Amino acid sequence: MKYVTLGLLLAGVSAPAFAADSADNEILVTASRIPLAAREVGSAVTIVTQEDIKESQAPFAKDLLQMIAGVQLTTDRPGDNTNVSIRGSDNDQVLFLIDGIELGDPSSTSTQYQSDHLVTRDIARIEVLRGNQSSLYGSDAIGGVVNIITQRATEEGISVNAEGEYGAHDTLNGGASILGKKGAVDFRLTATGYQHKGPSLADPATGSATERDEYWRYGFSGRLGVAATDNLELQLIGFWQDAHSDLDNTNSDSANTVRKREYAYAGQARYGSDDGHFHADLTASRYVARRLYFGNSYKPEGDLYKGTKDVVALNANYDSGSFVSVAAGVNKEWEKSDQVTNYSGNFDASVNTSAVYGELALRPLKNLTLTGAARVDDHSRFGSFDTYRATAAYLITDAMSAADIKLRASYGTGAKAPGLYQLFDPQYGNPNLEVETSKGGDVGFDLGFGQAFTAQFSYFFARVRNEIVFDGSIPPYGGYGQFGRTKKSGVEIGMTVRPTNWLSIAQSYTYLKAREDGDEDGVYLDMGRPKNSGSTAVTVTPYDGVSLTGRARYRSRNESSYGGATAGFAVFDLLGSYRLNDTVELYARVLNLFDKQYQMSFGKNTLGASAYGGVRLSF
């Protein structure tokens, strides 16, 4: 209870770790298929900028996501299996995009993206869109969308930036990027690497664990853009990475390991009319994940899971510049899974989905924007299903106080087909599974007084039918079944306060009530989600080039965490940086400053007090 009280008190005086919204006229890429300014968006969106990434010293994208209102993670350890939940959703109900590439592994439990190894080194911006977005982005977006936009050269010439750090648990982390632009051509190439040997993933506090668990990853990413004409732009985008992780049981060490290689690439074309009112985007992409599991119960050459997701998508939009804007698109996806294992058997299977969607934005009154979207998906196994969404945004401005308040609301439906593993795995699959369906929405407001104070408040709710779960009671060893219903509702609060030019306070807070249908009498039981979570950050810049941040992360007790209850906790971090000149910056951080013993998932060990230091170079 003390952590709940702390969160509520801080929420009353401070603000979101990242911008709840952006400048009024800035276009939000993810919130709509129509280019809408921030003041016209009726959904809850959080923006993480490149400066936010730098100040947070976050090596991995998940380190950033856990600081956002409405988002909860199952781990904060580098390389550990990471599930991202938005408003109580499952990980497979959150769609990840990188530069327009849809990520998702069809060989996983359900087609989903595991963000375990996603580093921040090449990221320029993250947009987190919360709530049901299936009508815009398909079946993987019941919970929300995480859209990642990578760095791109925008100025003539060549620039190089690099960073490297060393710290606790023999951590080595670094990367370098070269960016260039000459006339109509621009490019970026980034190389990254990370390794550490931390304590056991199994927590000795709730089990038996003595070994050190190793994790490493390295990868490359890049993009090449060409302005072919004044109206046509072409791009090639891609990334490749290789990672190794030790694996442990819930409460004991294990000799098992996993090696994961994944890559994605895409070709894109964007056309814009001379008057700027019409745009069309075409993307063809492929994402491949290949996992090999090693251990006593696996094949000598490793148990293989390989998933491939191919997507071709076309979106066109027309903005009249006044009353009406429209967008329409088509989408074709092919999913394939190849599995060769001792663990549960072999299979290969594939499905494909065709979709068509449309969106309409109306501005019937000054400062009022209404949007409606509808989508029809045709699945090769489950047939057709439709989804829709509606939003409203109304901006109130007060010139005397320089205050803006945006009232907003959204409501939508979603649908998600079972994954190939859930359907066809020889041991655990269930070919009789049905499509999950959902309904949900939110109401709230965004408040701003220039840069001095911003705030975002949302009440949200969602209902899911036929939610797919692993049911241990299915003979002989368990299998996949479906709940009748699940319910999620709660409150998100985010604020930033900048009372002076040398002080800023940031706050995020989430209250979540997530329940599942427990028996035939309609009694609902708590799901494995903490009810209260949040973060607070206070940053001081006493001198030009010097920055100091104190940060707290906290959660309430989670009674229904898988395997057992996890206690509430508050963890404190300390970060600092010093810019020597335009070329060199030194930085350091201490995570879990007071060496708090805590668990984010039952039986999973977190890191104790850990110090890191590094240098950034820019040329």
Side-chain angles (χ1 to χ4, degrees):
M1 183 65 186
K2 61 182 178 181
Y3 305 117
V4 180
T5 304
L6 173 64
L8 291 173
L9 288 174
L10 290 171
V13 297
S14 41
F18 309 113
D21 217 326
S22 51
D24 282 350
N25 294 317
E26 184 178 5
I27 301 299
L28 299 185
V29 178
T30 320
S32 171
R33 294 293 190 171
I34 298 169
L36 295 180
R39 57 186 171 82
E40 299 177 307
V41 172
S43 298
V45 187
T46 295
I47 309 301
V48 184
T49 67
Q50 192 168 359
E51 187 62 27
D52 293 328
I53 297 171
K54 179 180 172 183
E55 290 180 356
S56 70
Q57 299 184 26
F60 293 88
K62 67 181 182 182
D63 301 323
L64 299 166
L65 296 178
Q66 70 173 330
M67 310 298 288
I68 295 174
V71 181
Q72 295 177 338
L73 274 65
T74 55
T75 180
D76 58 3
R77 275 191 63 148
D80 193 13
N81 183 64
T82 305
N83 290 325
V84 177
S85 173
I86 298 181
R87 294 180 170 177
S89 74
D90 291 333
N91 187 75
D92 63 357
Q93 297 169 342
V94 177
L95 176 64
F96 278 78
L97 302 168
I98 294 183
D99 293 326
I101 302 174
E102 291 189 21
L103 305 179
D105 178 5
S107 73
S108 64
T109 302
S110 174
T111 301
Q112 59 186 308
Y113 179 64
Q114 294 296 147
S115 57
D116 313 352
H117 315 301
L118 182 60
V119 295
T120 61
R121 185 66 188 78
D122 57 356
I123 296 177
R125 177 184 176 95
I126 303 176
E127 295 183 1
V128 180
L129 180 61
R130 302 187 293 281
N132 205 326
Q133 312 299 330
S134 286
S135 62
L136 296 180
Y137 291 100
S139 67
D140 295 333
I142 287 178
V145 179
V146 178
N147 184 34
I148 295 169
I149 302 165
T150 64
Q151 298 173 22
R152 183 174 187 180
T154 57
E155 298 180 356
E156 289 286 324
I158 293 178
S159 62
V160 177
N161 54 73
E163 65 181 87
E165 68 176 43
Y166 177 78
H169 317 295
D170 292 327
T171 296
L172 288 171
N173 176 36
S177 297
I178 178 170
L179 300 92
K181 187 177 188 302
K182 184 174 177 59
V185 178
D186 67 89
F187 73 92
R188 175 186 55 79
L189 181 63
T190 301
T192 57
Y194 182 98
Q195 69 173 38
H196 82 188
K197 291 184 178 180
S200 175
L201 286 164
D203 194 340
T206 50
S208 173
T210 58
E211 69 179 7
R212 297 184 74 190
D213 284 330
E214 180 184 21
Y215 167 67
W216 58 256
R217 68 156 304 281
Y218 63 93
F220 303 91
S221 69
R223 65 192 302 165
L224 174 66
V226 178
T229 70
D230 290 341
N231 303 100
L232 180 63
E233 180 184 16
L234 306 175
Q235 278 200 90
L236 292 175
I237 302 167
F239 71 85
W240 177 93
Q241 60 185 20
D242 190 2
H244 162 93
S245 302
D246 282 351
L247 300 174
D248 278 348
N249 302 318
T250 301
N251 55 8
S252 64
D253 291 329
S254 167
N256 296 338
T257 63
V258 59
R259 181 82 175 268
K260 183 177 182 180
R261 291 186 178 130
E262 57 185 320
Y263 63 87
Y265 56 84
Q268 298 177 334
R270 178 174 176 81
Y271 172 81
S273 62
D274 288 336
D275 59 10
H277 292 309
F278 176 78
H279 292 91
D281 298 273
L282 176 65
T283 297
S285 66
R286 165 168 285 190
Y287 171 77
V288 178
R290 183 177 185 270
R291 293 171 289 138
L292 280 172
Y293 290 84
F294 299 95
N296 295 331
S297 61
Y298 302 124
K299 290 178 175 291
E301 67 274 22
D303 276 16
L304 171 67
Y305 299 81
K306 181 181 179 182
T308 303
K309 183 174 184 177
D310 296 322
V311 180
V312 176
L314 174 65
N315 182 74
N317 61 76
Y318 177 78
D319 182 3
S320 67
S322 56
F323 176 72
V324 64
S325 299
V326 296
V330 293
N331 197 86
K332 181 74 174 183
E333 297 182 8
W334 296 265
E335 298 177 8
K336 188 175 189 305
S337 176
D338 295 303
Q339 178 176 311
V340 183
T341 76
N342 273 346
Y343 177 67
S344 62
N346 306 337
F347 81 90
D348 64 85
S350 62
V351 293
N352 64 79
T353 307
S354 302
V356 58
Y357 58 87
E359 186 177 15
L360 176 69
L362 301 176
R363 305 171 183 89
L365 301 173
K366 182 180 180 181
N367 294 336
L368 174 64
T369 304
L370 307 174
T371 74
R375 180 186 183 104
V376 177
D377 288 88
D378 184 31
H379 193 278
S380 60
R381 180 177 175 84
F382 294 99
S384 297
F385 43 87
D386 58 89
T387 55
Y388 64 85
R389 189 186 78 150
T391 75
Y394 182 65
L395 183 68
I396 303 171
T397 62
D398 185 344
M400 294 294 293
S401 63
D404 291 324
I405 182 169
K406 181 177 71 174
L407 307 177
R408 52 178 170 73
S410 70
Y411 183 82
T413 64
K416 181 174 177 59
L420 294 172
Y421 183 90
Q422 293 169 330
L423 288 167
F424 302 122
D425 180 78
Q427 183 65 63
Y428 304 110
N430 180 355
N432 297 316
L433 293 175
E434 300 178 4
V435 174
E436 295 177 346
T437 60
S438 70
K439 298 178 180 179
D442 61 21
V443 292
F445 62 85
D446 301 337
L447 175 65
F449 288 88
Q451 294 298 311
F453 177 80
T454 61
Q456 185 182 73
F457 174 89
S458 300
Y459 167 77
F460 61 87
F461 59 93
R463 306 288 186 268
V464 180
R465 290 185 177 271
N466 295 327
E467 186 151 1
I468 300 170
V469 297
F470 187 82
D471 185 351
S473 66
I474 297 176
Y477 306 112
Y480 287 95
Q482 292 183 289
F483 285 131
R485 295 167 293 178
T486 63
K487 297 181 178 180
K488 296 104 173 177
S489 61
V491 172
E492 301 162 344
I493 300 173
M495 291 180 286
T496 55
V497 180
R498 298 182 180 90
T500 70
N501 59 7
W502 55 267
L503 174 64
S504 66
I505 306 169
Q507 175 70 38
S508 68
Y509 171 74
T510 304
Y511 172 78
L512 171 67
K513 191 173 184 179
R515 298 173 295 163
E516 63 192 20
D517 197 349
D519 57 32
E520 295 180 356
D521 296 327
V523 176
Y524 280 82
L525 306 175
D526 283 345
M527 298 176 65
R529 308 283 191 274
K531 288 186 177 180
N532 300 274
S533 58
S535 65
T536 306
V538 179
T539 300
V540 178
T541 53
Y543 305 102
D544 186 33
V546 176
S547 176
L548 296 171
T549 298
R551 183 174 65 195
R553 298 173 280 129
Y554 37 86
R555 283 188 178 185
S556 61
R557 180 179 176 85
N558 187 5
E559 294 287 353
S560 52
S561 175
Y562 176 78
T566 58
F569 64 84
V571 178
F572 296 88
D573 308 323
L574 185 62
L575 304 88
S577 64
Y578 174 51
R579 174 167 289 281
L580 294 174
N581 50 49
D582 291 340
T583 301
V584 181
E585 182 180 23
L586 305 177
Y587 65 92
R589 66 185 180 279
V590 181
L591 304 182
N592 195 359
L593 181 64
F594 302 113
D595 201 27
K596 174 73 174 180
Q597 196 284 325
Y598 67 102
Q599 292 182 355
M600 298 183 70
S601 297
F602 181 78
K604 283 291 190 76
N605 197 11
T606 50
L607 300 180
S610 304
Y612 307 87
V615 59
R616 297 190 182 103
L617 305 174
S618 301
F619 303 95

